[in-house]
Amino acid sequence: MSRVPPSGPPGPCLATPEGSGGGTPRQAPPGLHVVAVPIGNLADITQRALDVLAGVDAVACEDTRVTGKLLAAHAVRARLISHHEHNAAQRRPELLDRLAAGAAIALVADAGTPLISDPGYKLVRAAQDAGLPVHAVPGPTAAVAALSVAGLPTGRFLFQGFPPAKQGARREVLAELASVPATLVFYESPHRLTASLADMAAVLGAEREAAVVRELTKRFEETRRDTLSNLETRQAADPARGEVVVVVAPPEPAGPADAETVDARLRQALRTQRVRDAARTVAAATGWSRKAVYTRALALKDGGA
Ligand code: SAM
């Protein structure tokens, strides 16, 4: 087990950023500051995040134009270093050297919380392993904002992030999740949303309740809550555009489903899946044994259902 050095909180308020009262920003404590930024509405940033961004030696960010716009909106001046999916491995040694020399560096994503479907995990871990302080500066994340307005149970949830882009791999992941007794949270790109909802309906259950939450905190924020099958139909006819989170309710807690329910799910699944795959997903969703479902699937297939 790796020992994570205590980082110690950087204090309630470090600096007065130039945009909120003027004055020279106070230097942030040494270490890596993992700072959450807005997911759309530029006002959704904490005072502490602004203070840290104004007080660090450099801000490692995905797209300097995006972060530059955020900082300009809050009149915060900072030195920006690009750190994104494609250059993170090259940037890491340089950032770690600077941290080891006592620098304060902020890590931000284009939107929301770094490391949540965004880069940064390896940098945080490497800094901790080198005994360097790592500070959390929490704030928005689309997954939690979506849960807060989806109108679905939140007691237990599983964050999947982006499902695989290819249908076969996506269905495999969905089959793994089908019987997890928790609300499921997915990120999805708008151009794959119809296909993903179709697969979710086929694998998780057409009648399972879900919400498509889009453009959170922005002008066209919208939540559509319905069954997966109705959401798919609506998405095909009237696409929800922009940034999207899909939240899916937990499976029905009842014991094994009755034969009629199993057959209905099988008929639906067999429209798009091979017998073996349909049996696996329906077994996972209904609590029936895979063998029993497979036998029924063959009978349905032979009967032309
Ligand atoms: N780090 C971010 C976070 O904390 O949520 C997530 C970054 S991930 C690369 C981008 C995805 O997050 C989008 O494709 C979308 O699924 C979701 N997302 C980000 N902002 C959103 C918003 N305003 N409304 C809905 N979904 C959003």
Side-chain angles (χ1 to χ4, degrees):
M1 199 173 79
S2 101
R3 201 181 66 83
V4 177
S7 50
C13 186
L14 295 165
T16 306
E18 290 156 56
S20 57
T24 309
R26 194 179 308 158
Q27 174 69 33
L32 181 67
H33 300 258
V34 184
V35 181
V37 297
I39 55 169
N41 187 323
L42 292 186
D44 289 336
I45 186 158
T46 67
Q47 184 61 55
R48 190 167 151 245
L50 291 173
D51 293 345
V52 167
L53 291 170
V56 289
D57 299 296
V59 177
C61 59
E62 288 188 274
D63 183 333
T64 53
R65 288 162 305 179
V66 173
T67 302
K69 193 171 149 203
L70 170 71
L71 296 182
H74 293 281
V76 168
R77 262 187 253 133
R79 179 156 180 266
L80 303 182
I81 301 175
S82 125
H83 172 271
H84 50 70
E85 203 186 332
H86 305 293
N87 74 355
Q90 290 90 326
R91 277 278 187 256
R92 217 174 300 129
E94 172 196 332
L95 291 169
L96 290 168
D97 282 351
R98 292 189 64 176
L99 289 167
I105 294 180
L107 173 69
V108 299
D110 280 351
T113 301
L115 281 78
I116 306 300
S117 291
D118 267 327
Y121 152 70
K122 288 185 178 165
L123 179 62
V124 165
R125 193 179 166 92
Q128 289 167 337
D129 288 349
L132 299 164
V134 177
H135 312 282
V137 186
T141 193
V144 173
L147 278 165
S148 76
V149 295
L152 296 171
T154 52
R156 210 176 189 201
F157 59 86
L158 184 151
F159 175 63
Q160 167 62 39
F162 290 95
K166 295 213 170 114
Q167 187 180 52
R170 183 164 62 224
R171 285 188 170 216
E172 263 176 40
V173 167
L174 291 172
E176 274 172 28
L177 298 174
S179 54
V180 171
T183 292
L184 308 174
V185 184
F186 300 88
Y187 286 166
E188 189 50 290
S189 85
H191 71 271
R192 272 200 291 272
L193 186 56
T194 308
S196 259
L197 287 171
D199 286 343
M200 287 178 192
V203 179
L204 302 178
E207 294 309 308
R208 199 151 151 182
E209 220 189 1
V212 171
V213 185
R214 73 170 179 120
E215 294 289 273
L216 280 155
T217 78
K218 302 190 221 176
R219 184 164 168 210
F220 296 108
E221 177 174 319
E222 179 192 39
T223 299
R224 298 176 175 181
R225 177 156 49 80
D226 207 327
T227 61
L228 278 168
S229 133
N230 287 344
L231 286 169
E232 178 209 340
T233 308
R234 180 154 174 212
Q235 179 62 23
D238 169 24
R241 298 179 205 282
E243 297 197 280
V244 172
V245 182
V246 181
V247 184
V248 182
E252 292 296 327
D258 58 28
E260 210 176 302
T261 306
V262 171
D263 286 355
R265 280 179 178 265
L266 269 175
R267 278 193 200 92
Q268 170 88 19
L270 284 168
R271 280 190 213 144
T272 51
Q273 295 177 60
R274 292 174 301 165
V275 173
R276 196 170 49 96
D277 295 334
R280 191 181 56 194
T281 54
V282 172
T286 57
W288 279 44
S289 78
R290 203 182 290 185
K291 195 167 163 225
V293 178
Y294 185 75
T295 307
R296 282 193 100 81
L298 285 178
L300 286 175
K301 195 99 185 154
D302 291 346

